[in-house]
mmCIF file of all heavy atoms in Angstrom:
data_model
loop_
_atom_site.group_PDB
_atom_site.id
_atom_site.type_symbol
_atom_site.label_atom_id
_atom_site.label_comp_id
_atom_site.label_asym_id
_atom_site.label_seq_id
_atom_site.Cartn_x
_atom_site.Cartn_y
_atom_site.Cartn_z
ATOM 1 N N TYR A 35 94.404 97.149 100.204
ATOM 2 C CA TYR A 35 94.615 98.002 101.367
ATOM 3 C C TYR A 35 93.321 98.095 102.166
ATOM 4 O O TYR A 35 92.221 98.038 101.612
ATOM 5 C CB TYR A 35 94.998 99.427 100.953
ATOM 6 C CG TYR A 35 96.356 99.579 100.341
ATOM 7 C CD1 TYR A 35 96.548 99.424 98.973
ATOM 8 C CD2 TYR A 35 97.453 99.924 101.127
ATOM 9 C CE1 TYR A 35 97.802 99.588 98.408
ATOM 10 C CE2 TYR A 35 98.706 100.094 100.568
ATOM 11 C CZ TYR A 35 98.868 99.928 99.207
ATOM 12 O OH TYR A 35 100.113 100.089 98.652
ATOM 13 N N GLN A 36 93.488 98.340 103.454
ATOM 14 C CA GLN A 36 92.370 98.668 104.327
ATOM 15 C C GLN A 36 92.553 100.119 104.785
ATOM 16 O O GLN A 36 93.620 100.478 105.287
ATOM 17 C CB GLN A 36 92.352 97.750 105.548
ATOM 18 C CG GLN A 36 91.233 98.040 106.535
ATOM 19 C CD GLN A 36 91.433 97.310 107.852
ATOM 20 O OE1 GLN A 36 92.415 97.512 108.548
ATOM 21 N NE2 GLN A 36 90.495 96.433 108.201
ATOM 22 N N GLN A 37 91.532 100.940 104.560
ATOM 23 C CA GLN A 37 91.611 102.323 105.016
ATOM 24 C C GLN A 37 90.473 102.604 105.995
ATOM 25 O O GLN A 37 89.315 102.739 105.595
ATOM 26 C CB GLN A 37 91.566 103.311 103.850
ATOM 27 C CG GLN A 37 91.807 104.747 104.296
ATOM 28 C CD GLN A 37 91.854 105.746 103.152
ATOM 29 O OE1 GLN A 37 91.379 105.491 102.049
ATOM 30 N NE2 GLN A 37 92.469 106.896 103.392
ATOM 31 N N ILE A 38 90.838 102.703 107.250
ATOM 32 C CA ILE A 38 89.867 103.054 108.292
ATOM 33 C C ILE A 38 89.673 104.565 108.271
ATOM 34 O O ILE A 38 90.630 105.313 107.992
ATOM 35 C CB ILE A 38 90.362 102.555 109.655
ATOM 36 C CG1 ILE A 38 90.352 101.023 109.666
ATOM 37 C CG2 ILE A 38 89.527 103.102 110.798
ATOM 38 C CD1 ILE A 38 90.981 100.388 110.881
ATOM 39 N N LEU A 39 88.477 105.002 108.547
ATOM 40 C CA LEU A 39 88.136 106.417 108.472
ATOM 41 C C LEU A 39 89.138 107.283 109.226
ATOM 42 O O LEU A 39 89.438 107.022 110.405
ATOM 43 C CB LEU A 39 86.726 106.627 109.036
ATOM 44 C CG LEU A 39 86.149 108.031 108.888
ATOM 45 C CD1 LEU A 39 85.954 108.381 107.418
ATOM 46 C CD2 LEU A 39 84.825 108.149 109.640
ATOM 47 N N GLY A 40 89.690 108.277 108.545
ATOM 48 C CA GLY A 40 90.616 109.200 109.176
ATOM 49 C C GLY A 40 92.057 108.742 109.213
ATOM 50 O O GLY A 40 92.911 109.412 109.791
ATOM 51 N N GLN A 41 92.328 107.592 108.602
ATOM 52 C CA GLN A 41 93.693 107.065 108.600
ATOM 53 C C GLN A 41 94.194 106.870 107.176
ATOM 54 O O GLN A 41 93.421 106.900 106.214
ATOM 55 C CB GLN A 41 93.735 105.724 109.355
ATOM 56 C CG GLN A 41 93.326 105.823 110.809
ATOM 57 C CD GLN A 41 93.417 104.487 111.516
ATOM 58 O OE1 GLN A 41 94.068 103.542 111.040
ATOM 59 N NE2 GLN A 41 92.781 104.392 112.677
ATOM 60 N N GLY A 42 95.510 106.642 107.086
ATOM 61 C CA GLY A 42 96.068 106.307 105.792
ATOM 62 C C GLY A 42 95.820 104.846 105.462
ATOM 63 O O GLY A 42 95.539 104.038 106.354
ATOM 64 N N PRO A 43 95.890 104.487 104.177
ATOM 65 C CA PRO A 43 95.705 103.085 103.803
ATOM 66 C C PRO A 43 96.768 102.193 104.434
ATOM 67 O O PRO A 43 97.927 102.582 104.546
ATOM 68 C CB PRO A 43 95.859 103.106 102.278
ATOM 69 C CG PRO A 43 95.599 104.525 101.877
ATOM 70 C CD PRO A 43 96.101 105.354 103.002
ATOM 71 N N LYS A 44 96.354 101.008 104.833
ATOM 72 C CA LYS A 44 97.266 100.012 105.384
ATOM 73 C C LYS A 44 97.304 98.816 104.442
ATOM 74 O O LYS A 44 96.264 98.242 104.117
ATOM 75 C CB LYS A 44 96.823 99.558 106.768
ATOM 76 C CG LYS A 44 97.782 98.557 107.427
ATOM 77 C CD LYS A 44 97.277 98.083 108.772
ATOM 78 C CE LYS A 44 96.340 96.917 108.631
ATOM 79 N NZ LYS A 44 96.014 96.290 109.941
ATOM 80 N N LEU A 45 98.520 98.456 104.009
ATOM 81 C CA LEU A 45 98.666 97.339 103.078
ATOM 82 C C LEU A 45 98.284 96.032 103.752
ATOM 83 O O LEU A 45 98.793 95.699 104.821
ATOM 84 C CB LEU A 45 100.113 97.258 102.579
ATOM 85 C CG LEU A 45 100.422 96.125 101.607
ATOM 86 C CD1 LEU A 45 99.687 96.335 100.282
ATOM 87 C CD2 LEU A 45 101.922 96.027 101.358
ATOM 88 N N LEU A 46 97.388 95.288 103.114
ATOM 89 C CA LEU A 46 97.009 93.965 103.616
ATOM 90 C C LEU A 46 97.793 92.863 102.905
ATOM 91 O O LEU A 46 98.329 91.959 103.538
ATOM 92 C CB LEU A 46 95.509 93.722 103.411
ATOM 93 C CG LEU A 46 94.555 94.602 104.227
ATOM 94 C CD1 LEU A 46 93.114 94.319 103.822
ATOM 95 C CD2 LEU A 46 94.768 94.377 105.710
ATOM 96 N N ILE A 47 97.841 92.946 101.583
ATOM 97 C CA ILE A 47 98.503 91.900 100.817
ATOM 98 C C ILE A 47 98.942 92.454 99.477
ATOM 99 O O ILE A 47 98.284 93.344 98.922
ATOM 100 C CB ILE A 47 97.585 90.668 100.638
ATOM 101 C CG1 ILE A 47 98.353 89.483 100.039
ATOM 102 C CG2 ILE A 47 96.351 91.005 99.811
ATOM 103 C CD1 ILE A 47 97.605 88.158 100.130
#
Side-chain angles (χ1 to χ4, degrees):
Chain A
Y35 290 88
Q36 179 192 61
Q37 187 176 19
I38 293 173
L39 187 65
Q41 299 181 17
K44 183 183 86 170
L45 179 67
L46 293 175
I47 189 167

